[in-house]
Structure formats: C-alpha cells, structure tokens
Amino acid sequence: MMAVSRGSVRHSLGEDLSTFATSLFRPGQSVTRATPAEKSQLVESVKRRFGVSEAIPFPYARTCVHAVLEAMDLPPGSEVLMTPISIGPMLEVVLSLGLRPVFVDIELDTFGPDREDLARKLERRPAAFLLTYLFGYVPPVEEIINACQAAGTRVIEDVSHNIGATYAGRCLGTWGDAGVHSASLLKYVDGYNGAFVITNQSALGQRVAAAAERLTEPARGRVRGCIRRTLIWNTALNRYVFNLATFPALACLKAVSPALFEKILGPGIALTLDAKALPAYYFEDIASIQVRTILRHLDRLDSVLESRRECARTAHRAWREVTASSSPSPEFPAEPAGQDPTYWQFVIPVRNTAVARDVLFRKRVETGTTNLLDLAQVQGIQLPNTRALKETRIFVPLHGHLQSGDYRRMFVALREAGQI
Ligand SMILES: Cc1ncc(COP(=O)(O)O)c(C=O)c1O
C-alpha cells in the first residue's frame, strides 16, 4: 500500500507555486492590503453563500473573535463559555479583553458541547459562548442555541472546521449572533490565512466593521511566509512525494528521534499567555492574495464537500463491514436527522490513540488525534470527555484515491491489534 498522509492541502501544487512566484515578483498586487474592491467582492460572495446581511474580512479567526467580543461591549470580568478544543490564541483573545473563560465539556459523538454541562454553566447566565464546531461534525445546534438564548447568552460560532455544513438546512455560523471562519492551512476554504465574520445583526456588524477599519498594513514577509508554508506542506503531502520521500523521512525520524518526530507532527499554533499584549500581526489587514484565494475556493466549496462526503461514505461502509462482527459493536458518531456533516476529519473510537497511531504507522498510514490544545487543561481544569477525545479518538485519513479495500486494511489492522 502506498503511504497515506493524514490530510492534504486543498490547493493544486501549480496554484501554490504560481501564488508563491506572484508574491515574490508582484508583491504590490498580492501581499499588500486588499483593495476596497477586492474586499467588497469577498463580502458579497460570503453574504450570498451564507445568506447573511453582514460579512467582514479579517486576517485571522482569532482577530474575528476579538472584534466580535469587543463589539458586544461586555462588562469586564464577564464569563465567556468556550468549548475547550481550539487554538491557543482564542484563549489569549478572551483573556486579553478582561473576560473570564469558563470551559464546557464536549460530547463524544458530535464533538459539540455536552448538553448537561452546558445547561449547568448557563445557569450563571454567562455573557457569551464561543462555540467551536469540531472536525466537520454537526451537533444539535437548534437545541444549543435555544438554551443559550433562554439564558441571555450571546453565541459566536467558529465554523473553521466545517464551513458549508448545515443543521436543519441552515448554515452553521448563522445560528448564533455571529459566525467566524478561518481560511488557514488545510481548511476547506484555505486562503493562505485570512478569515471573515458573518452576522445578521446590523448594529453588531457595523461595530465589527469599525474594528476592521483599524487594521494596519500587512507585513509582506509574514504573508509571503504563509504562502511558503502552504507550498511546503502541499509538496510534502502530495500523494507521490509523501510515499517516496515524506513518509520514509518521518519513519527514519521516528526511529532516531521520537521527540522531534512528535514535535514536527504536534500542534502548529503556539499558546502564549504571558505576553503583555496580543501580537501586533493579529491586527494586520487581510492581503489581496488572501482575498482572491478565499473567493476562488468558496466557489469550489460545494464540489469539494461533495467529494469529501463520498470518501466518508466509502470509509463508513468499510468500517461497518470490519466492525460488524465485533460485539459490542464500537460506537460511531451518529448522524441524527437534520445534520449534514462535512467530515473535515473522519473520527473513529479506539482503545488508545497512541497505540492505534503506531499500528497505523506500521501500515504506512500517518495519522493521529487532534493537534488542537485542550484549553481547559491549560488552565488546570480537567473535563472528562475532552480528555477522552485526546485518548480515544483518532482521525482516519480520507483521500479521493483511497479505495474501500484501503480503509478495510486500516480497520482490520486496528481490529487485530485489539484497538476497535
Ligand atoms: C477551530 C479553529 N478555529 C480557528 C483556527 C485558526 O484560526 P486563525 O485564523 O486565528 O489562525 C483553527 C486552526 O486550525 C481551528 O482549528
């Protein structure tokens, strides 16, 4: 079997090469601040896609959350509920605004908030809830939003993992007060970074837009760095390069220096809680090339999701075949009526993620559990399901070139090792 990578960049190599060349030779039209015309094209496209009245481009999702929380004008010390699996900067942003993060555990089927824990924490009527949808799965959004509304808690939805997913036919990101999307590396809509806020509340939208007006000129080197990093990842994860070079190099590294192997494949975005202020680059405007790339990939989103769901169906069938005789049959995230997941990741339960990961690596499949931080743990709080996610849920790589037999081989290997 050809070696299999855990994911892939959703750009062609040609696209990244040409963007990289443009960033070097025509910086004035690529790595500088997006023009008003480019931004309004993006705004219109996002509004159409989500059916919302306001869309505001930003450089990062963390900046979006900062702008929305600031626009909500919450009293200092207000409680902000958060699901704990996210990037470190989300916690930095909440703390930097003088707000108090309170973590809500997740459930292990849809990876949304644990509804009992949420109900308990809503009793204190927190000011806001940063609800991060994980891995392209869809929790019972309506029930969650209703509970928050009853408590007077405003909701910000982070749809970075499942842009395009719906619940009861309505796009995620449009259920709460505002939605944010990050167009960072590996996302379905990847713009060499860049992000946007969506909302149907015009007053909130205007305040968020005012924050966007204050963003400064982007540093060309930083934007170029985002493009270079994407090109490197895209090359390393290319199916053929991965088989011939990346996987063998990782295998050598794993044998020689397991610590470095884990570091390279570990979290990509650091958490810095001791800094006096948020880094200035969080507040640099979105660049032209980022806007143009997001626009291009928004146009392709539906076909990308369609092929992704087809891959997930193939993997799902293989899973059912391999686990049919297991007793009791392993739990599997259900898809209750109305949910429309996008399978940004295909998550399966295993006995132990470290062992399962090793079993798959020996079969030339490089994967793992989520690299996102458990922000509750960072703050010294143990949430049982969040911990169980890290210890017992692993991503099965989905790729268009994998056949049913490839998925079966992965699942059989896990079954024979007593992992499923
Ligand atoms: C849930 C979630 N939100 C946001 C981001 C990225 O946000 P930003 O655009 O601030 O880098 C990620 C990155 O992987 C993520 O997993």
Side-chain angles (χ1 to χ4, degrees), residues 155-170:
V155 180
I156 306 168
E157 303 166 77
D158 181 344
V159 299
S160 306
H161 286 193
N162 53 357
I163 182 167
T166 59
Y167 181 82
R170 179 164 155 194

Side-chain angles (χ1 to χ4, degrees), residues 60-62 86-87 90 132 158 160-161 182 184 187 269 372:
Y60 294 99
R62 64 197 78 171
S86 190
I87 53 165
M90 295 300 181
T132 303
D158 181 344
S160 306
H161 286 193
S182 167
S184 60
K187 305 296 187 294
I269 303 179
L372 290 171

Side-chain angles (χ1 to χ4, degrees), residues 79 81 104 115-126 128-129 143-155:
E79 284 191 356
L81 301 188
V104 180
R115 275 159 294 155
E116 278 178 27
D117 197 31
L118 178 63
R120 253 193 315 275
K121 285 169 181 164
L122 283 174
E123 278 171 16
R124 296 164 56 100
R125 306 180 79 79
F129 178 20
E143 187 185 327
I144 295 165
I145 297 291
N146 287 344
C148 291
Q149 275 172 355
T153 301
R154 306 183 80 180
V155 180

Side-chain angles (χ1 to χ4, degrees), residues 31-34 216-223 284-287 290:
V31 290
T32 48
R33 192 197 284 266
T216 59
E217 177 67 31
R220 296 178 178 201
R222 180 183 57 79
V223 181
E284 290 176 359
D285 209 349
I286 190 165
Q290 295 172 325

Side-chain angles (χ1 to χ4, degrees), residues 68-91:
V68 174
L69 283 172
E70 210 174 34
M72 286 177 170
D73 204 15
L74 311 176
S78 297
E79 284 191 356
V80 176
L81 301 188
M82 300 176 72
T83 40
I85 299 284
S86 190
I87 53 165
M90 295 300 181
L91 180 58

Side-chain angles (χ1 to χ4, degrees), residues 322 359 363 409-420:
V322 173
V359 168
K363 295 285 172 196
R409 268 193 291 281
M410 293 185 218
F411 299 142
V412 166
L414 289 172
R415 191 183 61 193
E416 285 174 353
Q419 283 299 314
I420 56 177

